[in-house]
Amino acid sequence: MLGPLGDIVVLDLSRALAGPHAAQMLGDLGARVIKVEHPDGGDESRGWGPPFVGPDHEISTYFLAANRNKQSIAVDLKSADGKRLIERLVRQSDVLIENFRTGVLDRLGFSVERLHELNPRLVILSITGFGHDGPEGGRPGYDQIAQGEAGLMSLTGPSPDEPYRVGASIADLLAGIHGAYGVTGALYERERTGRGRVVRTSLLAAITGVHAYHGTAWTVGGKVPAAGGNHHASIAPYGAFRCADGMLQIAAANDGQWKKVATLLGIDPDAAKYATNRDRFAHRDELIADMEKALAAHDRAHWLARLGEEGVPAGAIRTLDEVYAWDQTRSQGLVVEVEHPVLGTIELPGPPLRFDGLEGFEHTAPPALGQDGDAVLAWLEERER
């Protein structure tokens, strides 16, 4: 199989979004991903919608977003036969992904010790809501709960009095990304040590791990950041601005870019209140008002063209249909075509990484529940010979 992980087998016991997203990322890198689902309904995200598509409107587009490049087998983890099959699969796998609440996998008979007894080379990725230990270890958590508890909602929205959730399930997605990143590191380490290890992350860790300058504003600067709408917490001008027919975004992150913006808009770039970023930020409300007064003279297309000519970072605020129709999106491989057993040819959001020489990588559609049971068993028997 094509891809950097073409010889890696991933046993995906996870469901919902964080774990499946991590497994999907590994699948995008060429790994064989075997998704284990309960025979009664499978992954819970199969029931999440709308929208639902298909002849009987039974296929969740939510599920389609996190399960490309996988095979599905239906297994009851509580049954004796199911446990035996999982043991066989563990012996033949390189990676196991799970996002059960702390202790669940142990009660099913698959503690870390047991898994490494079956396969000492196994890399185990465990994703939880708030961590597997600590005073609140094992606490259940979904994305929006974690966004609030990890402080992200306090940074998002029009004002400190109106905290907003980020539109995408960013805690889940980042946990999946961090998890896949950890797995690749553990696989590389295994080449030296010959042994696998446990990689742990959580929704709490995923959000806290990307606080970046907001985090150091508090830990070093002693300032508690707060929501500031569509404008940057440290740089001005950097945000969304009104023009004649709507809004556009302008990011002047240094004084050189600011001078270009100011000259274009007829504002004195060297005025004392606007001369440096510190000055501009201190007078940000006045700066926004001056800029929007000038921008009101023309439409978005006019200003984006002029700003582009000057080399100033600027852009539209697109809806998702516009994003997926955009030639630039498609040129980057961010839309992939797959053949679904029920829906036929469909387009899915594509992987964010591109590897030179792998342009011919063929993605597979998210599977129907248990559709690959026979194929996986045949592969497993071949591996065991």
Side-chain angles (χ1 to χ4, degrees), residues 9 32 34 71-73 85 88-89 92 370-385:
V9 178
R32 175 190 289 268
I34 301 170
Q71 296 176 297
S72 171
I73 60 170
L85 178 56
R88 293 172 63 196
L89 287 166
Q92 301 301 325
Q371 76 171 36
D372 302 295
D374 291 342
V376 170
L377 287 174
W379 167 84
L380 181 59
E381 289 169 359
E382 179 66 26
R383 292 268 292 203
E384 291 173 332
R385 288 176 188 163

Side-chain angles (χ1 to χ4, degrees), residues 153-165 226-231 284:
M153 290 177 67
S154 76
L155 304 174
T156 311
S159 74
D161 298 325
E162 295 183 81
Y164 281 19
R165 68 180 292 273
N230 288 319
H231 290 273
R284 189 174 70 176

Side-chain angles (χ1 to χ4, degrees), residues 37 41-48 52 58 60 63 72 367-370:
E37 302 186 72
D43 187 324
E44 62 206 62
S45 69
R46 289 185 182 273
W48 289 355
F52 294 97
E58 79 284 9
S60 163
F63 178 83
S72 171
L369 173 58

Side-chain angles (χ1 to χ4, degrees), residues 19-348:
H21 189 70
Q24 178 173 260
M25 291 184 67
L26 299 175
D28 287 339
L29 298 181
R32 175 190 289 268
V33 180
I34 301 170
K35 182 177 181 67
V36 176
E37 302 186 72
H38 193 279
D40 184 14
D43 187 324
E44 62 206 62
S45 69
R46 289 185 182 273
W48 289 355
F52 294 97
V53 294
D56 300 315
H57 299 283
E58 79 284 9
I59 299 173
S60 163
T61 60
Y62 193 112
F63 178 83
L64 296 177
N67 291 285
R68 66 176 175 263
N69 299 325
K70 299 183 184 182
Q71 296 176 297
S72 171
I73 60 170
V75 181
D76 181 356
L77 296 179
K78 295 181 179 179
S79 72
D81 287 344
K83 291 178 188 294
R84 282 192 290 270
L85 178 56
I86 294 300
E87 288 183 353
R88 293 172 63 196
L89 287 166
V90 165
R91 289 190 179 98
Q92 301 301 325
S93 297
D94 299 284
V95 179
L96 181 146
I97 299 177
E98 63 93 6
N99 60 351
F100 295 107
R101 286 183 63 182
T102 301
V104 170
L105 207 55
D106 291 35
R107 291 193 293 273
L108 289 170
F110 295 105
S111 65
V112 168
E113 293 75 19
R114 176 57 178 155
L115 290 170
H116 278 153
E117 179 183 315
L118 292 166
N119 182 352
R121 291 175 56 80
L122 186 69
V123 172
I124 303 166
L125 170 61
S126 178
I127 302 176
T128 56
F130 294 90
H132 76 290
D133 55 7
E136 298 188 42
R139 177 182 167 189
Y142 278 115
D143 178 87
Q144 187 162 335
I145 307 302
Q147 286 196 35
E149 289 279 31
L152 184 59
M153 290 177 67
S154 76
L155 304 174
T156 311
S159 74
D161 298 325
E162 295 183 81
Y164 281 19
R165 68 180 292 273
V166 174
S169 296
I170 195 67
D172 280 321
L173 296 168
L174 286 173
I177 292 168
H178 294 327
Y181 161 66
V183 164
T184 57
L187 288 172
Y188 182 77
E189 179 191 49
R190 191 181 70 173
E191 294 301 304
R192 299 195 311 274
T193 67
R195 296 189 63 84
R197 69 161 65 242
V198 182
V199 177
R200 301 187 190 277
T201 191
S202 66
L203 307 189
L204 171 63
I207 296 298
T208 306
V210 295
H211 280 170
Y213 52 85
H214 292 297
T216 51
W218 165 247
T219 63
V220 181
K223 177 184 176 182
V224 179
N230 288 319
H231 290 273
H232 200 283
S234 303
I235 305 170
Y238 191 125
F241 300 86
R242 294 180 181 84
C243 61
D245 65 344
M247 300 188 79
L248 75 161
Q249 301 203 91
I250 301 172
N254 57 56
D255 291 340
Q257 291 172 343
W258 160 243
K259 290 180 185 295
K260 293 178 180 180
V261 172
T263 301
L264 191 59
L265 299 183
I267 299 171
D268 180 5
D270 299 315
K273 60 185 177 181
Y274 296 154
T276 68
N277 180 68
R278 182 173 293 191
D279 298 324
R280 292 190 293 275
F281 195 85
H283 298 88
R284 189 174 70 176
D285 290 346
E286 190 175 352
L287 173 63
I288 292 170
D290 284 348
M291 290 178 63
E292 291 189 337
K293 181 179 179 180
L295 289 166
H298 297 287
D299 62 16
R300 185 177 74 177
H302 170 88
W303 289 119
L304 289 179
R306 294 298 308 279
L307 290 162
E309 291 169 0
E310 296 295 329
V312 174
I317 300 174
R318 297 175 187 265
T319 58
L320 288 197
D321 56 326
E322 292 174 325
V323 173
Y324 289 111
W326 190 17
D327 288 343
Q328 186 60 25
T329 301
R330 291 178 171 272
S331 75
Q332 301 305 298
L334 296 172
V335 181
V336 297
E337 192 173 275
V338 297
E339 289 298 321
H340 190 274
V342 176
L343 302 175
T345 303
I346 60 173
E347 289 187 337
L348 299 174

